[in-house]
Amino acid sequence: MRLKQKLQDVLPKEQLGHVSNRIHVIGDVAILSLPAEVEGNKEDIAEAVISQNKNIRIVLDKISKLEGDRRVATFEVLSGIGGTVTNHKEYGFTYRMDVTQVFFNSHLSYEHQRVASQVRPGESVLVPFAGVGPFVVPIAARGAKVMALEKSSSACRWLAENLRANDVEERAAILNADAFCVLQMINRTFDRAVVPTPYGMDKILETIADAVRTGGAVHFYAFKRRQQIDGLSKKYEDMGFEIGLCRRCGNVAPGVSRWAFDLVKC
Ligand SMILES: C[S@@+](CC[C@H](N)C(=O)[O-])C[C@H]1O[C@@H](n2cnc3c(N)ncnc32)[C@H](O)[C@@H]1O
């Protein structure tokens, strides 16, 4: 039964229209984004979510947009016990994190796997903006050697724990640093770069281009409107990349989507 159906006996009709069925689930934590119109009934909605989903332990309300470099929102605990640290399982891997401290998007599981499945054993792979490791872990598990760059020390702590928990800590090095600065100092090239770019940091591609060998691959994520994609593709070609694939992977704002580009450096 979908959330709105479940809420028919809980919320007045005029409020029901304001609630979405979309629930972002990370491990046993459910994250809602409730509008002001249902302010007085938030706890009832949260209890409906818990009663409806036996795997959900705690329900949070996301009360701000993703903010700052760390891309983390502010949350309010609506119902449930045991805090905001959770274990999220994805394609056989486990990611432990405090969802209020780090960025994680469980809707990107297909992308994590799609990219990792292209990696061959022995490759050297660069992952700036690594977060808690949903690209780093499956890529290292493919037998690659990974360099993960992450500015948030909290994310680095969970990333280190997730490398150990998934038995790939031998295959990945973590640099707790600003990717824009440290990349200039890394005097080597990689076979592949996976770049889950935070909103508005597309400029990093210029630096990434120098860090990948000719013939190497770059998986680059950008937030754009559909009508911007042709122009962007032309720009990437002018930068010396061949475009292997361009796919939309989720909306982030009305009319703005996340786009995945599989590029090859010519
Ligand atoms: C959109 S999240 C992606 C995280 C992870 N790759 C994922 O897919 O879940 C961006 C990450 O980049 C980190 N970050 C932001 N600015 C950075 C910078 N200049 N250098 C390195 N990491 C940065 C943030 O702390 C955050 O963990």
Side-chain angles (χ1 to χ4, degrees):
M1 184 192 293
R2 299 178 68 74
L3 180 57
K4 285 177 93 161
Q5 273 173 293
K6 181 90 183 171
L7 290 171
Q8 275 170 356
D9 319 327
V10 178
L11 289 184
K13 247 196 177 27
E14 66 281 4
Q15 287 195 1
L16 212 45
H18 296 289
V19 178
S20 152
N21 276 318
R22 266 176 78 79
I23 303 176
H24 185 196
V25 176
I26 302 178
D28 57 4
V29 178
I31 298 170
L32 307 175
S33 297
L34 297 173
E37 287 81 358
V38 300
E39 182 61 36
N41 288 308
K42 287 195 198 188
E43 282 73 21
D44 296 340
I45 296 170
E47 268 137 38
V49 170
I50 290 182
S51 69
Q52 184 191 9
N53 303 280
K54 61 180 183 355
N55 310 324
I56 299 297
R57 170 180 55 80
I58 188 167
V59 179
L60 311 181
D61 187 23
K62 181 173 168 236
I63 54 176
S64 81
K65 287 193 164 44
L66 296 181
E67 289 159 340
D69 278 358
R70 293 183 308 139
R71 315 311 298 147
V72 174
T74 307
F75 298 92
E76 181 191 346
V77 176
L78 295 181
S79 181
I81 51 164
T84 54
V85 174
T86 190
N87 291 313
H88 181 78
K89 294 195 182 316
E90 192 182 90
Y91 290 101
F93 301 108
T94 302
Y95 303 100
R96 189 167 172 75
M97 71 198 86
D98 181 334
V99 299
T100 65
Q101 293 299 320
V102 293
F103 174 95
F104 190 84
N105 185 337
S106 58
H107 301 304
L108 289 174
S109 58
Y110 172 76
E111 268 304 304
H112 300 148
Q113 192 60 16
R114 183 186 73 79
V115 168
S117 66
Q118 298 175 48
V119 174
R120 289 185 293 281
E123 276 191 20
S124 60
V125 181
L126 174 69
V127 183
F129 316 121
V132 301
F135 283 109
V136 176
V137 167
I139 290 171
R142 298 276 298 180
K145 272 281 187 195
V146 187
M147 179 178 284
L149 310 180
E150 173 52 60
K151 194 175 178 184
S152 151
S153 49
S154 166
C156 285
R157 227 183 4 264
W158 293 111
L159 173 55
E161 184 168 332
N162 293 333
L163 294 178
R164 282 192 298 277
N166 294 286
D167 293 327
V168 291
E169 72 264 35
E170 309 294 323
R171 311 201 65 77
I174 303 171
L175 282 185
N176 184 189
D178 182 330
F180 286 90
C181 310
V182 78
L183 271 170
Q184 323 278 357
M185 294 180 261
I186 295 175
N187 185 18
R188 54 167 293 191
T189 59
F190 296 83
D191 299 313
R192 185 180 305 267
V194 180
V195 192
T197 328
Y199 203 93
M201 293 192 188
D202 298 32
K203 219 174 156 2
I204 194 81
L205 185 57
E206 289 157 25
T207 319
I208 295 287
D210 300 335
V212 171
R213 66 168 172 76
T214 302
V218 176
H219 305 275
F220 191 73
Y221 293 82
F223 297 95
K224 299 295 175 194
R225 298 178 181 283
R226 179 176 288 285
Q227 58 270 31
Q228 295 174 290
I229 296 306
D230 292 352
L232 202 57
S233 303
K234 174 90 179 50
K235 179 180 167 202
Y236 294 160
E237 283 161 353
D238 294 347
M239 287 174 73
F241 289 109
E242 188 191 301
I243 297 176
L245 170 142
C246 169
R247 71 179 292 269
R248 204 168 67 82
C249 39
N251 273 338
V252 291
V256 180
S257 302
R258 177 188 297 102
W259 296 83
F261 284 87
D262 288 3
L263 308 171
V264 175
K265 182 176 171 187
C266 305

